[in-house]
Amino acid sequence: MDKSSALDYINQMFPTEASLSGVEPLMQKIHSEIRRVDAGILAAVRQQSNSGTKAKEDLAAATHAVEELMYKIREIKTKAEQSETMVQEICRDIKKLDFAKKHITTTITALHRLTMLVSAVEQLQVMASKRQYKEAAAQLEAVNQLCSHFEAYRDIPKITELREKFKSIKQILKSHVFSDFSSLGTGKETEEGNLLQQLSDACLVVDALEPSVREELVNNFCRRELTSYEQIFEGAELAKLDKTERRYAWIKRRMRTNEEIWKIFPLSWHVSYRLCIQFCKKTRKQLEDILENLKEKPDVGTLLLALQRTLEFEDELAEKFGGGSISREVGADIEEIGRAEDNSQKASDIRKKYEKRLAVHQGSETQEKDGNTDLSVPGAGFNFRGIISSCFEPHMIVYVELEEKTLMENLEKLVQDETWDIEEASQNNVLNSSMQLFLIIKRSLKRCSALTKSNTLFNLFKVFQKMLKAYAAKLFARLPKGGTGIVAAATGMDGQIKTSDKDERLICYIVNSAEYCHKTSGELAESVSKIIDSQLADGVDMSEVQDEFSAVITKALVTLVLGLETKFDAEMAAMTRVPWGSLESVGDQSEYVNGINMILTTSIPALGSLLSPIYFQFFLDKLASSLGPRFYANIFKCKHISETGAQQMLLDTQAVKTILLDIPMLARQSSSAANYSKFVSREMSKAEALLKVILSPVDSVADTYRALLPEGTPMEFQRILELKGLKKADQQTILDDFNKHGPAITQPSIPASVAPAVPAAPAASVIANNASLGFIASREDVLTRAAALGRGAATTGFKRFLALTEAAKDRKDGPFRKLFNT
């Protein structure tokens, strides 16, 4: 307790003077406590002293006990060693007796087995000399087991002598068996009734001998059976391609005739299976020689008949000895061509299934090179399909040539018989020749796949490509020729295209047919890749053919736009002939607007019902990108436009805009109407802005022009002043003020020389006229002129079209790839 705590304690005990009277009792209590504590300490010290002495005594006692324990352990160990020595002395003689007993037992067993072996070998020798095959077979098994017990004694002379004797007996048995089997098939089996039973017993002996003996016997039998076949069909009379069927009739008759006789062979030998393999190899070699030695190309009918009979024979062997036919499954895949949308199974799953199947049914040549394959067991890796028929493959070019000739003739006939019209009840709006074309191709593919799935099928696939490209060219040739307008100027088409309603329907039919052919040709390639040999599947590709049909689609849609654009010529000309400068009042929309509305009302519903949404949208975009800038340019072709005339023309412009916006509803295709509406509004707003500039007062025309047409040029502004009817002097004053402030852009625009009214022509005609004056020299100039004519049209509509087609040149597919190559 520190000093401050002590003071606090005292103050607590004696807070007042009166409490000091208790000091004496407290002191006595403290002294009493001190004495008690001292007594406790003294007692503890004494107890600790006594405990130390006792601990030393306990430690000494424990040490002594440990020493006694160690002594006893050493004594026990010594006695154990003495006991072990005593036991070894007692058992020494017993061990000797155990070893002696073991050796005597082994010797007795060995001598007993040796006696049995000697006896068995002697008995086997007697059986071999008497051709007792059934007993000899059992005896062979016994001798083989006995010999296995003497493998460790091979160096003992007596054992060596017995083994050599056994070997010679087996050789004698082999020679007897081979000698007896040589009489099989010579007619002796009918004369000697027990010969077949004897040969059946001999098979037991062959099984007891080495496996090589069985292989040799079966090979000798097959070779002997096929000797007569070689002699018969190597002669001049039957060594012909048209006699192929007789070869297969011979082996089937031979197997049927000798079926009962060949039952002497155990089923595990598979003699018929091995005989058929040898027959197929020899037949293949002979047919190869016949085909190679032909002085001229083989007759197609004879070649196909021989191949068909060969395939049928191979199928019979495959079904007899393992493996079913897959021709039905292949045919089902061919039927799926043209209607793949009904197939819910994924193409990747189908491909995996056929890859596995084709991996099992590999060519026989590959199997023959594999020396580790056990061909003695049916279904153990050998495939009869193709073992003979593959020799026809190098000579099937005549078949491919015949198919090509037939297909091309059918194509010409289809095109000649094509009405180029669709019945009203038709749902797909595809030309009949397109669907018939793929039906012909499917029939040809079925014929070929039933004969071969190798190079011949691949060559026929190339014929399909050629045929489809030719059909694409036929569709291309049916499109109306020529063209004019902005799209025509960009694509290089010269002349006008005048299309009737029938022509427009025909163009739509061609678009749909080309789309059908594009899709179905891809399905055809997929089906062929499933059927054809796996090593050729990677070369099956229809991308070039699909590009051809994509080009047809693009050309047809552009032609459709150009044809409709040509119909507007009369209405554009009528617009320039209206006396805009002398109109007294604003009335209903002008007649040329009604004409535009009539043209679109007549054509659009039919086009919307015939074209698919994606191609109809493409058509609308191109139409708007052509008509909008053309309408804008046509305003500059008018003469004087008064304020009333400008108001009437503005009303007409809004009417044309409304007509264009109603096209998707008119065609009943509103899937992308929102984007199209924005596009039309943007294109037609240029013409509305131009007319608002013409309507503005003379003193503010320049400011209005800069505000509404910020991309305008001085030449275009000058033409607007001419349309307002200003005199040259007044125009120059306004132009000087306009030039001081500077226009937004300085590119050249429409010169005044183009302004006088001429017979209406599309905007592209204006560009063509200016080209003769040196203004346009390249496609870049076309874009410049389009920008001047349509303000933002070149950057929104037409330029987007050109950019799209330019980018398509570098693509491998797509409907715009060959737009500029046509």
Side-chain angles (χ1 to χ4, degrees):
M1 186 179 294
D2 55 17
K3 184 177 181 181
S4 59
S5 298
L7 291 176
D8 292 339
Y9 178 75
I10 294 172
N11 291 332
Q12 183 180 0
M13 294 298 294
F14 306 105
T16 60
E17 289 185 6
S19 63
L20 291 178
S21 59
V23 172
E24 285 299 330
L26 179 62
M27 290 299 293
Q28 292 176 2
K29 183 179 179 181
I30 291 174
H31 285 301
S32 176
E33 184 68 21
I34 291 173
R35 286 192 297 269
R36 188 181 63 79
V37 172
D38 289 342
I41 292 173
L42 182 60
V45 171
R46 289 173 181 169
Q47 184 179 0
Q48 183 64 29
S49 176
N50 295 333
S51 297
T53 304
K54 186 177 181 181
K56 291 180 180 179
E57 293 175 356
D58 292 342
L59 180 60
T63 303
H64 179 69
V66 170
E67 290 176 354
E68 287 183 354
L69 179 60
M70 292 297 295
Y71 173 76
K72 290 180 180 181
I73 291 174
R74 285 194 295 269
E75 187 178 5
I76 292 171
K77 185 176 180 181
T78 301
K79 289 180 179 181
E81 291 175 352
Q82 292 174 356
S83 299
E84 183 180 3
T85 303
M86 186 183 297
V87 171
Q88 288 178 353
E89 291 292 335
I90 294 172
C91 296
R92 184 177 300 165
D93 295 335
I94 297 176
K95 282 187 178 181
K96 289 181 180 179
L97 292 174
D98 285 342
F99 284 127
K101 180 181 177 181
K102 182 178 180 180
H103 292 161
I104 291 172
T105 303
T106 303
T107 303
I108 292 172
T109 304
L111 289 174
H112 179 65
R113 288 174 177 171
L114 180 59
T115 302
M116 293 173 62
L117 178 60
V118 172
S119 175
V121 170
E122 291 176 353
Q123 292 176 14
L124 182 61
Q125 187 175 14
V126 174
M127 294 173 184
S129 62
K130 294 181 180 181
R131 283 184 163 83
Q132 297 176 348
Y133 294 131
K134 188 173 183 179
E135 295 80 3
Q139 197 69 9
L140 272 172
E141 295 289 345
V143 174
N144 282 328
Q145 291 181 4
L146 290 171
C147 286
S148 64
H149 294 295
F150 291 95
E151 287 294 328
Y153 309 105
R154 298 175 63 92
D155 297 334
I156 297 175
K158 181 62 177 176
I159 300 301
T160 304
E161 179 184 349
L162 285 172
R163 293 178 69 88
E164 290 297 328
K165 187 177 182 179
F166 178 51
K167 185 176 180 181
S168 64
I169 294 172
K170 289 195 294 184
Q171 191 63 36
I172 292 171
L173 281 171
K174 176 182 175 182
S175 62
H176 287 344
V177 170
F178 277 55
S179 176
D180 291 346
F181 268 101
S182 64
S183 61
L184 184 63
T186 60
K188 289 184 179 181
E189 62 270 11
T190 58
E191 298 175 2
E192 302 178 14
N194 63 342
L195 178 59
L196 292 179
Q197 182 60 44
Q198 185 178 358
L199 293 178
S200 179
D201 295 339
C203 292
L204 300 177
V205 174
V206 173
D207 276 336
L209 296 173
E210 289 79 8
S212 60
V213 177
R214 183 184 65 184
E215 292 294 318
E216 185 179 352
L217 178 62
V218 174
N219 288 336
N220 287 344
F221 169 77
C222 295
R223 185 166 54 252
R224 193 165 58 250
E225 284 290 324
L226 295 176
T227 300
S228 59
Y229 168 74
E230 292 178 336
Q231 294 172 352
I232 294 172
F233 289 95
E234 283 183 352
E237 182 179 354
L238 295 178
K240 297 179 180 178
L241 193 61
D242 57 354
K243 307 295 183 183
T244 303
E245 186 175 3
R246 298 183 60 178
R247 296 174 179 270
Y248 310 131
W250 181 90
I251 187 64
K252 287 188 283 188
R253 184 173 59 254
R254 189 73 176 174
M255 294 176 66
R256 186 171 56 252
T257 303
N258 297 322
E259 184 178 3
E260 291 297 325
I261 298 176
W262 291 352
K263 286 183 178 180
I264 62 174
F265 297 108
L267 294 177
S268 60
W269 286 20
H270 306 292
V271 174
S272 299
Y273 172 74
R274 299 286 296 277
L275 178 64
C276 289
I277 292 177
Q278 296 299 325
F279 170 81
C280 290
K281 292 180 179 179
K282 290 182 181 295
T283 302
R284 175 190 173 90
K285 185 177 184 305
Q286 290 185 358
L287 290 178
E288 284 179 343
D289 294 339
I290 293 173
L291 292 169
E292 290 294 337
N293 293 330
L294 290 176
K295 296 180 180 180
E296 56 185 14
K297 290 184 178 181
D299 178 68
V300 178
T302 304
L303 181 67
L304 294 183
L305 180 61
L307 177 57
Q308 183 64 35
R309 296 295 179 262
T310 301
L311 292 170
E312 291 173 357
F313 177 69
E314 290 175 349
D315 284 340
E316 289 179 12
L317 294 181
E319 293 176 2
K320 181 179 179 64
F321 298 111
S325 176
I326 61 173
S327 58
R328 183 178 302 174
E329 295 169 350
V330 169
D333 287 322
I334 296 175
E335 288 297 331
E336 291 300 321
I337 297 174
R339 49 194 178 99
E341 62 274 10
D342 297 331
N343 186 6
S344 60
Q345 189 174 13
K346 293 182 179 179
S348 59
D349 296 337
I350 298 176
R351 181 175 292 276
K352 290 179 180 178
K353 178 184 69 175
Y354 278 91
E355 285 177 350
K356 293 179 180 178
R357 183 172 296 138
L358 291 173
V360 175
H361 298 279
Q362 291 298 323
S364 59
E365 294 181 358
T366 305
Q367 295 168 342
E368 291 178 9
K369 295 178 182 178
D370 187 2
N372 298 324
T373 303
D374 182 11
L375 302 182
S376 63
V377 181
F382 191 83
N383 183 18
F384 281 102
R385 290 189 178 87
I387 186 174
I388 304 175
S389 58
S390 57
C391 71
F392 290 87
E393 194 66 35
H395 307 276
M396 291 290 286
I397 186 66
V398 291
Y399 165 71
V400 176
E401 292 173 352
L402 178 62
E403 283 283 356
E404 181 176 1
K405 179 182 177 182
T406 304
L407 290 172
M408 288 303 178
E409 290 175 354
N410 287 330
L411 174 61
E412 293 297 330
K413 187 174 184 304
L414 285 175
V415 175
Q416 291 176 3
D417 297 341
E418 179 60 70
T419 60
W420 303 101
D421 198 0
I422 303 295
E423 298 179 359
E424 294 182 0
S426 178
Q427 297 180 353
N428 53 10
N429 294 321
V430 176
L431 293 173
N432 182 63
S433 58
S434 299
M435 295 182 288
Q436 293 299 322
L437 177 67
F438 280 97
L439 289 177
I440 293 173
I441 288 176
K442 285 200 289 186
R443 287 195 290 267
S444 176
L445 180 57
K446 278 187 177 180
R447 289 194 297 269
C448 185
S449 62
L451 299 174
T452 175
K453 299 176 180 63
S454 189
N455 287 317
T456 301
L457 180 57
F458 186 72
N459 292 333
L460 183 62
F461 177 74
K462 293 181 178 178
V463 174
F464 294 159
Q465 290 178 316
K466 181 178 178 181
M467 183 182 184
L468 291 171
K469 288 181 180 179
Y471 183 68
K474 299 288 186 183
L475 294 179
F476 203 95
R478 286 293 302 180
L479 294 172
K481 301 298 186 296
T484 185
I486 292 181
V487 177
T491 56
M493 298 180 181
D494 295 326
Q496 279 191 330
I497 294 180
K498 294 183 178 181
T499 56
S500 62
D501 294 342
K502 182 178 180 180
D503 292 333
E504 291 177 351
R505 288 197 304 273
L506 172 60
I507 294 174
C508 293
Y509 296 151
I510 291 177
V511 170
N512 295 334
S513 300
E515 182 183 12
Y516 170 80
C517 293
H518 182 282
K519 175 184 176 182
T520 311
S521 59
E523 297 171 1
L524 173 64
E526 184 178 351
S527 296
V528 173
S529 65
K530 297 174 187 175
I531 300 169
I532 202 167
D533 290 345
S534 56
Q535 62 269 22
L536 299 174
D538 292 339
V540 178
D541 183 26
M542 276 287 187
S543 58
E544 292 185 4
V545 173
Q546 290 177 317
D547 288 346
E548 295 286 342
F549 287 111
S550 297
V552 172
I553 294 173
T554 304
K555 175 70 178 296
L557 291 173
V558 172
T559 302
L560 191 62
V561 173
L562 298 176
L564 195 59
E565 186 179 273
T566 302
K567 291 183 178 182
F568 294 138
D569 289 352
E571 312 308 324
M572 294 294 104
M575 175 182 174
T576 59
R577 289 195 296 268
V578 174
W580 301 105
S582 59
L583 287 179
E584 296 179 356
S585 62
V586 178
D588 293 334
Q589 61 189 30
S590 303
E591 284 299 322
Y592 74 90
V593 177
N594 295 331
I596 293 175
N597 185 36
M598 180 62 66
I599 292 172
L600 294 176
T601 305
T602 303
S603 299
I604 292 301
L607 299 181
S609 63
L610 294 177
L611 291 176
S612 62
I614 183 173
Y615 293 125
F616 185 73
Q617 181 62 37
F618 175 85
F619 164 76
L620 289 185
D621 289 345
K622 300 302 134 290
L623 179 64
S625 65
S626 171
L627 186 58
R630 185 177 181 183
F631 189 87
Y632 181 91
N634 215 49
I635 296 176
F636 287 98
K637 294 179 184 179
C638 299
K639 295 182 179 179
H640 173 59
I641 301 177
S642 64
E643 182 177 351
T644 303
Q647 292 176 353
Q648 179 65 47
M649 191 177 292
L650 184 60
L651 177 65
D652 293 344
T653 302
Q654 293 172 348
V656 171
K657 178 180 177 181
T658 302
I659 292 171
L660 292 178
L661 291 175
D662 290 341
I663 286 180
M665 185 179 301
L666 191 64
R668 296 181 180 179
Q669 291 197 16
S670 57
S671 58
S672 56
N675 293 333
Y676 171 74
S677 299
K678 293 179 182 178
F679 184 68
V680 170
S681 299
R682 185 170 61 249
E683 294 296 328
M684 295 303 297
S685 64
K686 310 298 188 305
E688 293 175 347
L690 175 59
L691 293 172
K692 291 177 181 178
V693 172
I694 296 175
L695 281 170
S696 62
V698 174
D699 55 351
S700 63
V701 65
D703 295 333
T704 305
Y705 181 70
R706 291 192 189 93
L708 297 181
L709 296 173
E711 297 180 352
T713 64
M715 297 178 65
E716 189 177 83
F717 182 65
Q718 181 179 357
R719 178 60 186 140
I720 292 174
L721 297 180
E722 293 175 357
L723 291 175
K724 289 177 70 65
L726 297 179
K727 297 181 180 180
K728 290 292 184 180
D730 297 334
Q731 291 181 21
Q732 191 60 43
T733 303
I734 298 174
L735 283 174
D736 292 341
D737 180 67
F738 178 80
N739 290 329
K740 288 180 181 179
H741 292 83
I745 58 174
T746 59
Q747 61 190 40
S749 184
I750 302 175
S753 59
V754 185
V758 294
S765 300
V766 180
I767 297 176
N769 292 335
N770 288 333
S772 64
L773 300 176
F775 285 104
I776 303 175
S778 65
R779 186 174 298 167
E780 287 72 15
D781 293 328
V782 173
L783 291 177
T784 302
R785 304 302 296 167
L789 290 173
R791 296 289 58 88
T795 57
T796 57
F798 180 66
K799 189 173 181 181
R800 187 181 71 169
F801 171 70
L802 285 183
L804 181 61
T805 52
E806 284 290 337
K809 290 183 178 180
D810 299 328
R811 295 182 57 187
K812 295 183 178 180
D813 55 8
F816 306 106
R817 178 181 177 185
K818 296 187 176 180
L819 179 61
F820 292 104
N821 296 333
T822 56

